[in-house]
């Protein structure tokens, strides 16, 4: 699905999503990644939702976001609070949703000027 264009061209914007990947600023990605509005996408070493560890969330914390949007794949899944504790203990929200909803939500929050971190799990 293609998403509508906006006036946020200087930022990292999700411009589409498809089975097995996403499109950011019209460039396709088919691997798990994390990004902030002003930081290009970077690989996030998570192959499957079931493999998430506390260390993965510590990597997200290092980016110092206001909120984390976690795309969990084709369906919404929730992480155990023990895993997201590095973020939540510092009052950083972690919202879990399916990848498509995560992409749309990220674009909205980014467009509002929020320091939102998008973390997507793209399973092969």
């Amino acid at each position: 699905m293609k998403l509508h264009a906006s006036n946020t061209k200087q930022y990292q914007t999700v411009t589409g999503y498809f089975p097995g990947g996403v499109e950011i600023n019209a460039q396709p990605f088919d691997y798990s990644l994390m990004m902030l509005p002003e930081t290009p996408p970077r690989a996030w070493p998570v192959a499957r939702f079931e493999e998430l560890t506390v260390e993965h969330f510590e990597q997200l914390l290092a980016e110092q976001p206001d909120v984390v949007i976690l795309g969990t794949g084709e369906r919404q899944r929730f992480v155990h609070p023990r895993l997201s504790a590095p973020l939540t203990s510092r009052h950083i929200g972690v919202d879990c949703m399916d990848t498509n909803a995560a992409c749309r939500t990220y674009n909205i929050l980014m467009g509002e000027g929020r320091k939102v971190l998008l973390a997507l799990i793209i399973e092969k």
Side-chain angles (χ1 to χ4, degrees):
M1 168 182 274
K2 293 285 185 181
L3 300 178
H4 295 286
S6 70
N7 60 356
T8 56
K9 292 182 182 167
Q10 71 272 24
Y11 300 114
Q12 307 305 312
T13 305
V14 180
T15 51
Y17 41 82
F18 52 90
V22 296
E23 186 179 274
I24 299 165
N25 293 349
Q27 180 180 355
F29 292 85
D30 64 354
Y31 53 84
S32 297
L33 58 87
M34 63 176 174
M35 71 175 188
L36 289 153
E38 297 178 348
T39 306
R42 293 185 314 264
W44 190 39
V46 181
R48 297 177 45 235
F49 177 83
E50 294 78 16
E51 296 174 3
L52 281 170
T53 65
V54 171
E55 289 77 22
H56 292 120
F57 288 90
E58 288 171 346
Q59 289 175 336
L60 303 178
L61 176 62
E63 302 298 322
Q64 301 178 330
D66 292 337
V67 64
V68 172
I69 304 298
L70 176 62
T72 59
E74 291 183 11
R75 64 184 174 89
Q76 182 180 30
R77 297 180 271 186
F78 297 96
V79 297
H80 192 282
R82 162 181 56 78
L83 296 176
S84 59
L87 293 156
T88 57
S89 67
R90 290 170 179 83
H91 306 286
I92 298 170
V94 178
D95 291 317
C96 300
M97 51 194 77
D98 68 70
T99 296
N100 297 352
C103 291
R104 293 187 303 268
T105 302
Y106 165 83
N107 279 352
I108 291 167
L109 295 176
M110 181 267 308
E112 293 175 351
R114 302 276 305 272
K115 189 174 181 185
V116 57
L117 188 149
L118 178 64
L120 298 177
I121 301 170
I122 307 293
E123 296 181 348
K124 301 288 181 193

